[in-house]
């Protein structure tokens, strides 16, 4: 039995802030399609935004914040949110994943931009290539769907962006279950898979060993109920409510003395990112 695991930087907080549920896309495989509705009151509110920003100013640790959605840039106060977060000293990084529907300041120093490519809207992305190329060190996420009519378009986009990218394969959800013809799919994207095969993978520290995720599962080292964990991941919903992602526990108004330590209540840790967090048996 190991004593300690993890290895993530201590006292570095991550917030995922869902600023809007609205998305202008209607992807057939979207897992949250039913929530992507334009409710002008909930999806463009200002009161909760100012409350969230005020609370974030109380956080004493360096933090990263991910502005999520929906399509986050569609929020009418999106640039205002970016401007206010940039004023917070402990806010070190602001990340977004966008389809570049709307214009915003892409040159802000704390901003990390991800481009999420959905092949149903291929023509839009091709029109936005000049803007995408202006982004410093973008994360390009190309979704390879199960429908062959989109495959050539995806390859055209990959060849056009001329930068590093990652690929995402559809997984089954309550909304849609993909039906890949794996023989045709593997042949079509063999060059793509050859490129991505060498990309770095997470290694997880267990005492003095560095293990891959597959080895962790084989040894049952993801069964962590009762371990002390530095839980650095928090969610902020569209109404401005803060919760601890691992447990769903709501946080009070006082974030100044935020206690990041929990005793894990789960039978298994089913998220690779959270396996990187510092854990120890006491």
């Amino acid at each position: 039995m190991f004593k300690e695991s993890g290895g993530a930087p201590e006292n570095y907080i991550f917030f995922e802030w869902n600023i809007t549920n609205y998305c202008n896309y209607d992807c057939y495989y979207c897992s949250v399609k039913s929530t992507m509705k334009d409710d002008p009151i909930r999806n463009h509110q200002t009161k909760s935004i100012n409350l969230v920003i005020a609370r974030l100013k109380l956080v004493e640790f360096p933090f990263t914040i991910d502005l999520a959605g929906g399509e986050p840039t569609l929020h009418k106060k999106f640039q205002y949110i970016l401007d206010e977060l940039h004023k917070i000293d402990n806010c070190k990084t602001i990340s977004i994943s966008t389809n570049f529907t709307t214009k915003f300041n892409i040159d802000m120093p704390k901003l990390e931009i991800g481009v999420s490519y959905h092949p149903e809207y291929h023509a839009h992305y091709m029109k936005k290539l000049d803007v995408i190329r202006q982004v410093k060190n973008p994360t390009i996420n190309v979704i390879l769907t199960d429908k062959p009519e989109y495959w050539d378009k995806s390859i055209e986009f990959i060849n056009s962006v001329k930068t590093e990218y990652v690929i995402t394969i559809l997984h089954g959800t309550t909304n849609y279950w993909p039906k890949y013809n794996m023989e045709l799919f593997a042949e079509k994207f063999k060059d793509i898979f050859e490129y991505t095969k060498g990309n770095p993978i997470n290694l997880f520290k267990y005492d003095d060993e560095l293990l891959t995720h597959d080895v962790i599962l084989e040894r049952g080292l993801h069964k962590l109920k009762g371990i002390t964990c530095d839980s650095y991941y928090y969610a902020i919903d569209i109404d401005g409510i803060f919760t601890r992602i691992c447990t769903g526990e709501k946080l009070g108004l006082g974030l100044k003395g935020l206690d990041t330590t929990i005793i894990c209540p789960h039978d298994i840790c089913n998220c690779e990112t959270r396996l990187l967090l510092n854990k120890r048996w006491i």
Side-chain angles (χ1 to χ4, degrees), residues 69-267:
E71 168 55 40
T73 65
L74 291 178
H75 195 292
K76 293 177 181 178
K77 295 286 186 178
F78 181 71
Q79 188 61 54
Y80 168 78
I81 294 170
L82 291 181
D83 293 339
E84 291 301 303
L85 289 174
H86 267 78
K87 296 175 185 177
I88 301 176
D89 288 340
N90 272 332
C91 179
K92 303 302 181 182
T93 305
I94 305 162
S95 64
I96 63 167
S97 182
T98 177
N99 60 31
F100 275 103
T101 295
T102 61
K103 292 182 178 180
F104 60 96
N105 183 359
I106 64 174
D107 293 322
M108 303 184 79
K110 297 181 180 181
L111 188 59
E112 292 185 352
I113 298 175
V115 181
S116 183
Y117 170 80
H118 300 274
E120 287 178 85
Y121 298 90
H122 175 75
H124 165 78
Y125 290 97
M126 299 305 288
K127 290 178 182 177
K128 292 288 184 177
L129 280 177
D130 288 342
V131 178
I132 294 171
R133 288 170 181 155
Q134 292 173 27
V135 176
K136 296 177 182 177
N137 302 315
T139 300
I140 309 289
N141 180 27
V142 179
I143 297 173
L144 301 183
T145 76
D146 57 337
K147 293 191 175 182
E149 59 262 37
Y150 295 124
W151 293 353
D152 284 333
K153 294 178 179 180
S154 298
I155 291 172
E156 181 186 15
F157 176 75
I158 288 171
N159 292 334
S160 299
V161 292
K162 298 178 180 178
T163 188
E164 293 186 1
Y165 58 89
V166 296
I167 59 174
T168 297
I169 308 299
L170 298 183
H171 296 280
T173 69
T174 54
N175 181 61
Y176 183 77
W177 195 265
K179 305 175 185 66
Y180 287 96
N181 181 322
M182 292 309 298
E183 184 176 347
L184 292 179
F185 184 73
E187 176 62 25
K188 188 70 175 180
F189 291 104
K190 62 183 178 182
D191 293 338
I192 304 299
F193 294 138
E194 187 64 28
Y195 166 81
T196 58
K197 188 170 63 176
N199 283 0
I201 59 173
N202 279 335
L203 290 175
F204 305 85
K205 186 175 182 181
Y206 280 72
D207 292 337
D208 295 325
E209 286 188 284
L210 290 176
L211 307 176
T212 65
H213 188 244
D214 287 344
V215 171
I216 289 169
L217 298 184
E218 288 171 8
R219 295 188 188 178
L221 298 177
H222 61 316
K223 299 175 182 179
L224 297 169
K225 189 171 185 177
I227 201 171
T228 299
C229 180
D230 294 326
S231 175
Y232 298 144
Y233 293 98
Y234 299 85
I236 310 170
D237 72 11
I238 194 171
D239 296 314
I241 297 172
F242 285 64
T243 57
R244 196 187 301 272
I245 287 179
C246 274
T247 64
E249 166 198 0
K250 289 185 179 180
L251 304 182
L253 288 176
L255 292 179
K256 190 169 184 177
L258 188 63
D259 183 4
T260 61
T261 303
I262 64 167
I263 304 299
C264 181
H266 303 296
D267 290 327

Side-chain angles (χ1 to χ4, degrees), residues 35-49:
T35 67
M36 299 297 163
K37 299 175 182 177
D38 190 10
D39 180 339
I41 296 176
R42 295 198 73 210
N43 288 321
H44 304 288
Q45 55 189 320
T46 302
K47 183 177 179 181
S48 64
I49 287 172

